[in-house]
């Protein structure tokens, strides 16, 4: 399964040990855009690799290949996105909404405290629901350059 994100393409991959998601940076349209995208991509990888909340996707490795392709290897999360759950099951019971919200807030709290203690931060949040558990992926994590 392939999904396109703001910076690259995410593909599910089966390794010898476990399934992973491999995010590969798509090249920018101009050298300046490409340079900025590459920098943001690596900052995102380094920042997310420091997180370890149970509801945050784990980063296994990141870097660049011998031919200069940037990648992030991360935990593969199987499930439906929160967007799809809401569209298919709305209205959700209050207890389920509270459970999902608690998990998201816990993960975001860790990210904020670890990565943005003295600044605003912009994050793109994707949530995946696995039964009663919610997993999330932070993308585009960066220091804010002013109001969003």
């Amino acid at each position: 399964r392939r999904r396109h994100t703001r910076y690259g393409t995410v593909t599910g991959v089966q390794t010898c040990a476990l399934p992973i998601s491999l995010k590969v940076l798509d090249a920018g349209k101009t050298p300046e855009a490409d340079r900025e995208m590459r920098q943001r991509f690596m900052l995102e990888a380094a920042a997310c690799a420091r997180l370890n909340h149970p509801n945050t996707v784990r980063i296994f490795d990141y870097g660049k290949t011998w031919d200069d392709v940037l990648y992030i290897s991360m935990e593969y999360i199987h499930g439906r996105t929160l967007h799809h759950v809401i569209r298919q099951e709305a209205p959700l019971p209050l207890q389920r909404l509270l459970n999902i919200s608690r998990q998201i807030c816990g993960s975001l709290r860790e990210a904020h405290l670890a990565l943005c203690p003295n600044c605003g931060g912009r994050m793109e949040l994707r949530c995946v629901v696995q039964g009663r558990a919610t997993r999330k992926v932070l993308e585009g994590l960066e220091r804010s350059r002013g109001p969003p």
Side-chain angles (χ1 to χ4, degrees):
R1 190 165 172 225
R2 184 169 281 191
R3 180 174 59 83
H4 296 282
T5 68
R6 183 166 68 171
Y7 296 124
T9 303
V10 178
T11 304
V13 177
Q14 177 66 47
T15 65
C16 295
L18 67 152
I20 63 168
S21 289
L22 188 62
K23 184 175 186 178
V24 178
L25 179 67
D26 294 334
K29 295 180 174 137
T30 66
E32 296 81 28
D34 188 50
R35 194 170 23 258
E36 183 177 334
M37 283 178 66
R38 291 173 67 81
Q39 183 178 17
R40 285 185 180 191
F41 188 86
M42 293 307 284
L43 285 172
E44 170 190 329
C48 290
R50 296 183 356 218
L51 303 177
N52 62 11
H53 190 276
N55 298 110
T56 302
V57 69
R58 289 179 302 189
I59 303 293
F60 298 126
D61 191 22
Y62 64 94
K64 66 180 178 175
T65 63
W66 60 270
D67 56 347
D68 209 33
V69 174
L70 301 183
Y71 69 91
I72 303 172
S73 168
M74 64 187 91
E75 174 182 17
Y76 177 77
I77 307 281
H78 178 74
R80 298 179 296 157
T81 65
L82 183 56
H83 174 80
H84 285 111
V85 169
I86 291 170
R87 289 187 56 107
Q88 293 170 356
E89 299 179 24
L92 297 176
L94 179 60
Q95 284 302 337
R96 186 163 184 207
L97 288 173
L98 291 173
N99 185 36
I100 290 170
S101 298
R102 221 176 282 115
Q103 293 174 59
I104 292 169
C105 288
S107 185
L108 287 174
R109 181 176 188 275
E110 181 205 33
H112 181 74
L113 291 174
L115 306 173
C116 305
N118 299 315
C119 66
R122 290 191 301 247
M123 299 177 220
E124 178 182 332
L125 178 65
R126 293 188 181 273
C127 297
V128 178
V129 178
Q130 299 172 305
R132 296 193 156 282
T134 303
R135 298 299 299 261
K136 67 135 192 91
V137 178
L138 286 176
E139 293 181 346
L141 186 63
E142 61 187 75
R143 288 181 180 258
S144 178
R145 294 186 182 140

Short mmCIF file of all heavy atoms in Angstrom, two decimals, residues 9-48:
data_model
loop_
_atom_site.label_atom_id
_atom_site.label_comp_id
_atom_site.label_asym_id
_atom_site.label_seq_id
_atom_site.Cartn_x
_atom_site.Cartn_y
_atom_site.Cartn_z
N THR A 9 6.81 9.68 -0.27
CA THR A 9 5.93 8.55 -0.47
C THR A 9 6.21 7.52 0.62
O THR A 9 7.36 7.21 0.91
CB THR A 9 6.19 7.91 -1.85
OG1 THR A 9 6.00 8.92 -2.84
CG2 THR A 9 5.25 6.76 -2.11
N VAL A 10 5.15 6.98 1.23
CA VAL A 10 5.29 5.95 2.25
C VAL A 10 4.79 4.64 1.66
O VAL A 10 3.69 4.58 1.11
CB VAL A 10 4.48 6.30 3.52
CG1 VAL A 10 4.60 5.19 4.55
CG2 VAL A 10 4.94 7.63 4.09
N THR A 11 5.60 3.61 1.78
CA THR A 11 5.27 2.31 1.24
C THR A 11 5.47 1.26 2.32
O THR A 11 6.46 1.31 3.05
CB THR A 11 6.20 1.97 0.05
OG1 THR A 11 6.09 3.01 -0.92
CG2 THR A 11 5.81 0.66 -0.59
N GLY A 12 4.54 0.30 2.43
CA GLY A 12 4.72 -0.82 3.35
C GLY A 12 5.72 -1.79 2.75
O GLY A 12 5.68 -2.09 1.56
N VAL A 13 6.63 -2.29 3.58
CA VAL A 13 7.68 -3.20 3.13
C VAL A 13 7.77 -4.35 4.12
O VAL A 13 7.69 -4.14 5.32
CB VAL A 13 9.06 -2.47 3.08
CG1 VAL A 13 10.16 -3.42 2.68
CG2 VAL A 13 9.00 -1.27 2.15
N GLN A 14 7.93 -5.58 3.62
CA GLN A 14 8.13 -6.72 4.51
C GLN A 14 9.61 -7.06 4.53
O GLN A 14 10.19 -7.38 3.51
CB GLN A 14 7.34 -7.94 4.02
CG GLN A 14 7.55 -9.19 4.85
CD GLN A 14 7.01 -9.07 6.27
OE1 GLN A 14 5.89 -8.63 6.47
NE2 GLN A 14 7.81 -9.42 7.25
N THR A 15 10.24 -6.92 5.70
CA THR A 15 11.64 -7.30 5.85
C THR A 15 11.68 -8.72 6.39
O THR A 15 10.65 -9.34 6.62
CB THR A 15 12.36 -6.35 6.84
OG1 THR A 15 11.78 -6.54 8.13
CG2 THR A 15 12.24 -4.91 6.41
N CYS A 16 12.85 -9.23 6.62
CA CYS A 16 12.99 -10.57 7.20
C CYS A 16 12.37 -10.65 8.58
O CYS A 16 11.78 -11.66 8.94
CB CYS A 16 14.46 -10.97 7.27
SG CYS A 16 15.22 -11.14 5.65
N ALA A 17 12.50 -9.60 9.37
CA ALA A 17 12.05 -9.63 10.75
C ALA A 17 10.61 -9.14 10.95
O ALA A 17 9.86 -9.75 11.68
CB ALA A 17 12.99 -8.81 11.61
N LEU A 18 10.23 -8.05 10.32
CA LEU A 18 8.92 -7.46 10.58
C LEU A 18 8.54 -6.51 9.46
O LEU A 18 9.39 -6.03 8.72
CB LEU A 18 8.95 -6.70 11.91
CG LEU A 18 9.81 -5.46 11.99
CD1 LEU A 18 9.21 -4.52 13.02
CD2 LEU A 18 11.22 -5.80 12.39
N PRO A 19 7.23 -6.24 9.35
CA PRO A 19 6.82 -5.26 8.34
C PRO A 19 7.17 -3.84 8.80
O PRO A 19 7.09 -3.54 9.98
CB PRO A 19 5.30 -5.44 8.26
CG PRO A 19 4.91 -6.04 9.55
CD PRO A 19 6.10 -6.83 10.05
N ILE A 20 7.59 -3.01 7.88
CA ILE A 20 7.93 -1.62 8.17
C ILE A 20 7.26 -0.72 7.15
O ILE A 20 6.81 -1.18 6.11
CB ILE A 20 9.46 -1.37 8.15
CG1 ILE A 20 10.03 -1.62 6.75
CG2 ILE A 20 10.17 -2.20 9.20
CD1 ILE A 20 11.44 -1.12 6.57
N SER A 21 7.21 0.56 7.46
CA SER A 21 6.84 1.57 6.48
C SER A 21 8.12 2.29 6.11
O SER A 21 8.92 2.64 6.97
CB SER A 21 5.86 2.59 7.07
OG SER A 21 4.60 2.00 7.26
N LEU A 22 8.31 2.48 4.83
CA LEU A 22 9.50 3.16 4.35
C LEU A 22 9.05 4.45 3.67
O LEU A 22 8.33 4.42 2.69
CB LEU A 22 10.26 2.27 3.36
CG LEU A 22 11.61 2.77 2.92
CD1 LEU A 22 12.56 2.87 4.11
CD2 LEU A 22 12.19 1.83 1.88
N LYS A 23 9.47 5.58 4.23
CA LYS A 23 9.12 6.89 3.68
C LYS A 23 10.33 7.39 2.91
O LYS A 23 11.44 7.47 3.45
CB LYS A 23 8.77 7.84 4.81
CG LYS A 23 8.30 9.20 4.35
CD LYS A 23 7.86 10.01 5.56
CE LYS A 23 7.25 11.31 5.16
NZ LYS A 23 6.79 12.06 6.34
N VAL A 24 10.12 7.71 1.64
CA VAL A 24 11.21 8.17 0.78
C VAL A 24 10.86 9.56 0.29
O VAL A 24 9.74 9.82 -0.16
CB VAL A 24 11.40 7.20 -0.42
CG1 VAL A 24 12.48 7.70 -1.34
CG2 VAL A 24 11.71 5.81 0.08
N LEU A 25 11.83 10.47 0.37
CA LEU A 25 11.60 11.86 -0.04
C LEU A 25 11.45 11.97 -1.54
O LEU A 25 12.27 11.44 -2.30
CB LEU A 25 12.76 12.74 0.43
CG LEU A 25 12.67 14.22 0.05
CD1 LEU A 25 11.52 14.88 0.79
CD2 LEU A 25 13.97 14.93 0.36
N ASP A 26 10.41 12.66 -1.97
CA ASP A 26 10.24 13.00 -3.38
C ASP A 26 11.02 14.28 -3.65
O ASP A 26 10.98 15.21 -2.86
CB ASP A 26 8.77 13.23 -3.72
CG ASP A 26 7.94 11.96 -3.59
OD1 ASP A 26 8.50 10.86 -3.73
OD2 ASP A 26 6.73 12.07 -3.35
N ALA A 27 11.71 14.33 -4.76
CA ALA A 27 12.53 15.50 -5.10
C ALA A 27 11.67 16.73 -5.32
O ALA A 27 10.55 16.64 -5.80
CB ALA A 27 13.37 15.21 -6.34
N GLY A 28 12.21 17.90 -4.97
CA GLY A 28 11.52 19.16 -5.19
C GLY A 28 11.59 19.58 -6.65
O GLY A 28 12.32 19.02 -7.45
N LYS A 29 10.81 20.61 -6.98
CA LYS A 29 10.76 21.07 -8.37
C LYS A 29 11.90 22.02 -8.71
O LYS A 29 12.24 22.20 -9.86
CB LYS A 29 9.42 21.76 -8.61
CG LYS A 29 8.27 20.78 -8.50
CD LYS A 29 6.94 21.46 -8.74
CE LYS A 29 5.89 20.39 -8.75
NZ LYS A 29 4.72 20.62 -8.08
N THR A 30 12.47 22.66 -7.70
CA THR A 30 13.60 23.57 -7.93
C THR A 30 14.71 23.20 -6.97
O THR A 30 14.45 22.60 -5.92
CB THR A 30 13.18 25.03 -7.69
OG1 THR A 30 12.89 25.19 -6.30
CG2 THR A 30 11.98 25.43 -8.53
N PRO A 31 15.94 23.57 -7.26
CA PRO A 31 17.04 23.28 -6.33
C PRO A 31 16.81 23.87 -4.95
O PRO A 31 17.12 23.24 -3.94
CB PRO A 31 18.26 23.89 -7.00
CG PRO A 31 17.92 23.95 -8.45
CD PRO A 31 16.43 24.16 -8.52
N GLU A 32 16.25 25.09 -4.87
CA GLU A 32 16.00 25.71 -3.57
C GLU A 32 14.93 24.93 -2.81
O GLU A 32 15.08 24.68 -1.62
CB GLU A 32 15.53 27.18 -3.74
CG GLU A 32 16.56 28.08 -4.35
CD GLU A 32 16.63 27.98 -5.88
OE1 GLU A 32 15.62 27.64 -6.52
OE2 GLU A 32 17.71 28.20 -6.41
N ALA A 33 13.85 24.56 -3.46
CA ALA A 33 12.79 23.78 -2.82
C ALA A 33 13.32 22.42 -2.39
O ALA A 33 13.01 21.93 -1.31
CB ALA A 33 11.60 23.62 -3.75
N ASP A 34 14.13 21.80 -3.24
CA ASP A 34 14.70 20.50 -2.93
C ASP A 34 15.59 20.58 -1.69
O ASP A 34 15.51 19.74 -0.81
CB ASP A 34 15.50 19.97 -4.12
CG ASP A 34 15.95 18.54 -3.91
OD1 ASP A 34 15.10 17.70 -3.55
OD2 ASP A 34 17.15 18.28 -4.10
N ARG A 35 16.40 21.59 -1.59
CA ARG A 35 17.30 21.77 -0.44
C ARG A 35 16.49 21.95 0.84
O ARG A 35 16.78 21.34 1.87
CB ARG A 35 18.22 22.97 -0.69
CG ARG A 35 19.39 23.07 0.22
CD ARG A 35 20.42 24.12 -0.17
NE ARG A 35 19.98 25.22 -1.00
CZ ARG A 35 20.21 25.33 -2.32
NH1 ARG A 35 20.86 24.40 -2.96
NH2 ARG A 35 19.78 26.37 -3.00
N GLU A 36 15.45 22.78 0.78
CA GLU A 36 14.60 23.02 1.95
C GLU A 36 13.85 21.75 2.34
O GLU A 36 13.77 21.40 3.52
CB GLU A 36 13.61 24.15 1.68
CG GLU A 36 12.77 24.49 2.89
CD GLU A 36 11.84 25.66 2.65
OE1 GLU A 36 12.14 26.51 1.80
OE2 GLU A 36 10.81 25.72 3.34
N MET A 37 13.31 21.04 1.37
CA MET A 37 12.58 19.79 1.65
C MET A 37 13.50 18.76 2.29
O MET A 37 13.11 18.06 3.23
CB MET A 37 11.96 19.22 0.38
CG MET A 37 10.71 19.94 -0.07
SD MET A 37 10.04 19.26 -1.60
CE MET A 37 9.54 17.64 -1.07
N ARG A 38 14.72 18.63 1.78
CA ARG A 38 15.67 17.66 2.32
C ARG A 38 16.00 17.99 3.79
O ARG A 38 16.05 17.12 4.64
CB ARG A 38 16.95 17.65 1.48
CG ARG A 38 16.73 17.06 0.09
CD ARG A 38 17.97 17.20 -0.78
NE ARG A 38 19.07 16.39 -0.29
CZ ARG A 38 19.20 15.09 -0.53
NH1 ARG A 38 18.31 14.45 -1.27
NH2 ARG A 38 20.24 14.42 -0.06
N GLN A 39 16.18 19.28 4.07
CA GLN A 39 16.49 19.70 5.43
C GLN A 39 15.31 19.40 6.36
O GLN A 39 15.50 18.86 7.45
CB GLN A 39 16.84 21.18 5.47
CG GLN A 39 17.24 21.66 6.84
CD GLN A 39 17.62 23.13 6.84
OE1 GLN A 39 17.32 23.88 5.92
NE2 GLN A 39 18.29 23.56 7.89
N ARG A 40 14.11 19.74 5.95
CA ARG A 40 12.92 19.48 6.77
C ARG A 40 12.70 17.99 6.99
O ARG A 40 12.33 17.56 8.08
CB ARG A 40 11.68 20.10 6.13
CG ARG A 40 11.62 21.58 6.27
CD ARG A 40 10.32 22.08 5.74
NE ARG A 40 10.25 23.52 5.86
CZ ARG A 40 9.16 24.22 5.68
NH1 ARG A 40 8.05 23.62 5.34
NH2 ARG A 40 9.18 25.52 5.81
N PHE A 41 12.90 17.22 5.94
CA PHE A 41 12.73 15.77 6.02
C PHE A 41 13.66 15.18 7.08
O PHE A 41 13.24 14.38 7.92
CB PHE A 41 13.01 15.16 4.64
CG PHE A 41 12.68 13.70 4.53
CD1 PHE A 41 11.41 13.28 4.20
CD2 PHE A 41 13.67 12.74 4.72
CE1 PHE A 41 11.11 11.94 4.06
CE2 PHE A 41 13.38 11.39 4.58
CZ PHE A 41 12.09 10.99 4.25
N MET A 42 14.92 15.57 7.07
CA MET A 42 15.88 15.04 8.03
C MET A 42 15.61 15.55 9.44
O MET A 42 15.79 14.82 10.42
CB MET A 42 17.31 15.36 7.60
CG MET A 42 17.73 14.64 6.33
SD MET A 42 17.49 12.84 6.40
CE MET A 42 18.87 12.40 7.43
N LEU A 43 15.15 16.81 9.58
CA LEU A 43 14.78 17.34 10.89
C LEU A 43 13.59 16.56 11.46
O LEU A 43 13.56 16.23 12.64
CB LEU A 43 14.44 18.83 10.81
CG LEU A 43 15.62 19.78 10.67
CD1 LEU A 43 15.13 21.20 10.39
CD2 LEU A 43 16.49 19.73 11.91
N GLU A 44 12.61 16.27 10.60
CA GLU A 44 11.45 15.48 11.02
C GLU A 44 11.89 14.11 11.50
O GLU A 44 11.46 13.64 12.56
CB GLU A 44 10.48 15.33 9.85
CG GLU A 44 9.36 14.34 10.11
CD GLU A 44 8.56 14.04 8.86
OE1 GLU A 44 8.41 14.90 7.99
OE2 GLU A 44 8.07 12.90 8.77
N ALA A 45 12.75 13.46 10.75
CA ALA A 45 13.21 12.12 11.11
C ALA A 45 13.95 12.15 12.45
O ALA A 45 13.69 11.32 13.33
CB ALA A 45 14.12 11.57 10.02
N ALA A 46 14.87 13.08 12.62
CA ALA A 46 15.65 13.16 13.85
C ALA A 46 14.75 13.47 15.05
O ALA A 46 14.90 12.89 16.13
CB ALA A 46 16.73 14.23 13.72
N ALA A 47 13.78 14.36 14.86
CA ALA A 47 12.88 14.73 15.96
C ALA A 47 11.99 13.55 16.34
O ALA A 47 11.87 13.21 17.52
CB ALA A 47 12.03 15.92 15.54
N CYS A 48 11.38 12.92 15.38
CA CYS A 48 10.47 11.80 15.67
C CYS A 48 11.20 10.58 16.22
O CYS A 48 10.63 9.82 16.99
CB CYS A 48 9.66 11.45 14.43
SG CYS A 48 8.45 12.72 14.01
#
